Amino acid sequence: MKLLSSLLLTVSLWLSAGAAAQAQQADSPYRTRFVVDAPITVGLGAVSGLGLYLVQQKNGLTPAQLAALDKNDVPKFDRFAAGNYSDQAQLKSDVLCYGSLVVAPGLLALNDKARGRYGQVAALYLQTMLATDAVFTMSVGTVTRYRPFLYGSEGAENKRGSRIATNSFFAGHTAHTATATFFAAKVFHDFNPESPAEPFVWGAAALVPAAVAYYRIEAGKHFLSDNLVGYALGATMGIVVPQLHKTGGRTGISLVPVQGLNANGHAYGGLLLTKAL
């Protein structure tokens, strides 16, 4: 994730500027402002950088600490993963995760409506990913939880004693994947609210990070609870950040009078309160 954070921070202002430049080129369900969003994006990148610095200050495990690990100390709901190890599962999780970070926003470029405002979409994606990355890096930088594979005998010695082996909480691969896929689904929905493809889009958005979570458990990188937190955080960021940028006309509360007859023939009247999502 270190490369991701650096890359995102490097291009943050450029993408935000591109979003502002395209403000009048096409209809959009979102409102972005360079003077507001650029500082937020840069600030999130700075927090991510601080988190990475804190990770570098952590200590690895000594041989004595490794020998003292006991899977019975792991909470029961997570214990099934203790001792797991698989290089193949790790590779699969890497391919799915890093692939989704590119594919998910790339697919939005294939949509005519989203493509017309792709500078804005890209800026929102950057901000959304950095929001997840900031929480993730600060968490692993300040929380020590041993990875599941340490409770078994597999894994190279340099991996078992590394500071990275203390970064089990929470699952960054799962969180970033969920952010990418749910962001893509949310943006697709906002640009195409009546599309018949929506069930498939949301289904894919949910399944891909779930597959990443499965492989991270099989690889011995994270426990179930680590992945549940990562999934929930990523999905939340992927939906909430674009939602916070929706224009007033699309997000505002509407209050309209209604009247009619019920099934028993009695007249009724009142107010209908609605909130766009």
Side-chain angles (χ1 to χ4, degrees), residues 5-204:
S5 298
S6 301
L7 182 60
L8 291 175
L9 181 58
T10 301
V11 299
S12 59
L13 285 174
W14 179 76
L15 285 177
S16 296
Q22 293 190 14
Q24 302 299 324
Q25 291 182 3
D27 291 335
S28 172
Y30 305 117
R31 182 182 182 222
T32 54
R33 291 182 296 165
F34 179 78
V35 295
V36 174
D37 289 293
I40 291 174
T41 300
V42 173
L44 290 170
V47 174
S48 296
L50 174 60
L52 290 173
Y53 171 77
L54 294 175
V55 171
Q56 295 302 313
Q57 305 311 304
K58 295 175 72 174
N59 296 316
L61 286 81
T62 65
Q65 289 175 313
L66 285 170
L69 292 179
D70 184 351
K71 66 172 57 179
N72 291 318
D73 295 332
V74 177
K76 288 184 179 180
F77 54 83
D78 277 335
R79 198 171 298 163
F80 72 93
N84 283 2
Y85 185 85
S86 171
D87 288 326
Q88 186 176 27
Q90 179 179 340
L91 177 61
K92 290 178 180 178
S93 71
D94 287 343
V95 171
L96 280 174
C97 174
Y98 297 125
S100 71
L101 300 183
V102 176
V103 172
L107 289 175
L108 290 173
L110 301 179
N111 180 259
D112 291 339
K113 294 181 179 179
R115 186 169 60 248
R117 291 302 302 264
Y118 201 74
Q120 184 186 53
V121 170
L124 281 174
Y125 179 66
L126 172 66
Q127 189 176 108
T128 305
M129 291 301 302
L130 280 174
T132 294
D133 203 52
V135 179
F136 166 67
T137 56
M138 290 299 294
S139 295
V140 296
T142 56
V143 177
T144 294
R145 191 185 194 193
Y146 303 135
R147 294 192 186 270
F149 78 90
L150 296 179
Y151 294 88
S153 58
E154 296 185 75
E157 287 302 318
N158 63 328
K159 288 184 178 180
R160 297 179 64 81
S162 168
R163 67 172 67 94
I164 302 302
T166 68
N167 295 347
S168 187
F169 184 82
F170 52 86
H173 277 56
T174 304
H176 286 82
T177 303
T179 302
T181 60
F182 277 89
F183 173 88
K186 168 65 172 169
V187 172
F188 179 84
H189 164 76
D190 288 342
F191 275 98
N192 308 272
E194 305 298 330
S195 173
E198 279 208 64
F200 304 101
V201 171
W202 285 105

